[in-house]
Amino acid sequence: MNEVMTVADATSSSTLTTSSSPASPASLLPVNIPLLSAFLACAIAQFLKLFTTWYKEKRWDSKKMLDSGGMPSSHSSTVMALVVSVGLHDGSASPAFAIAVVLACVVMYDATGVRLHAGRQAELLNQIVCEFPPEHPLSTSRPLRDSLGHTPFQVLAGAVLGCIVAYLMKTSN
């Protein structure tokens, strides 16, 4: 019998022969560059908050690495790294890219809008509570967290950081 072997047949037979051989430890974990880019951008942004806090307040505060708010926005760097990485990996016409863009818009709008204004309201409420007389029932209440959102510049800095991380991850791959 005359049989014709197609490229798809050759590819599937080569994967069958290589899958029977022992896998190297590096190939056991799937590599998801968009996911790694997003997490790396978030970690770098959180780490940079140490230095921006030192520059602004002239003191080291390691708790800033786990706090929300501050410079740069880790939320923005995360979603922008995801957007750029998905765009470079799958193209801008892919459904995954569209989902990532919508997610990024929602997250960055929330950071500069809702969360920023909630933080400003918390500052005001904390000031009001501080002016209560000591016998008032709310005078001993714990202060509200006021570092919730980001200024537009902090969001922009986080977005730029995310773009850079995603681009560097793609070029290093």
Side-chain angles (χ1 to χ4, degrees):
M1 266 173 55
N2 290 336
E3 289 186 32
V4 176
M5 186 170 198
T6 64
V7 174
D9 294 333
T11 306
S12 64
S13 67
S14 70
T15 55
L16 287 175
T17 59
T18 58
S19 65
S20 63
S21 64
S24 67
S27 67
L28 291 177
L29 294 174
V31 177
N32 188 331
I33 296 297
L35 185 63
L36 291 175
S37 296
F39 283 145
L40 182 62
C42 181
I44 291 171
Q46 288 298 107
F47 181 70
L48 287 175
K49 288 181 183 183
L50 280 174
F51 298 100
T52 56
T53 302
W54 177 83
Y55 180 77
K56 185 178 177 183
E57 301 174 12
K58 302 295 184 228
R59 67 182 178 90
W60 293 103
D61 188 2
S62 60
K63 289 185 281 185
K64 291 290 183 184
M65 284 190 2
L66 301 175
D67 280 349
S68 59
M71 172 74 163
S73 168
S74 59
H75 291 88
S76 298
S77 66
T78 303
V79 293
M80 280 308 292
L82 185 64
V83 166
V84 171
S85 190
V86 167
L88 291 172
H89 188 265
D90 296 341
S92 61
S94 71
F97 180 76
I99 292 168
V101 167
V102 170
L103 175 69
C105 290
V106 169
V107 167
M108 292 191 291
Y109 174 78
D110 180 63
T112 57
V114 177
R115 287 180 37 229
L116 177 64
H117 293 292
R120 288 181 179 165
Q121 287 180 351
E123 279 180 31
L124 231 113
L125 288 171
N126 288 338
Q127 288 175 356
I128 292 170
V129 169
C130 284
E131 294 177 5
F132 284 161
E135 60 273 356
H136 194 279
L138 294 177
S139 65
T140 58
S141 64
R142 196 178 84 210
L144 298 171
R145 287 184 47 213
D146 56 5
S147 178
L148 297 174
H150 296 282
T151 64
F153 183 71
Q154 292 170 340
V155 169
L156 178 66
V160 169
L161 174 65
C163 292
I164 292 170
V165 168
Y167 179 75
L168 292 176
M169 288 286 289
K170 179 65 177 174
T171 58
S172 69
N173 187 7

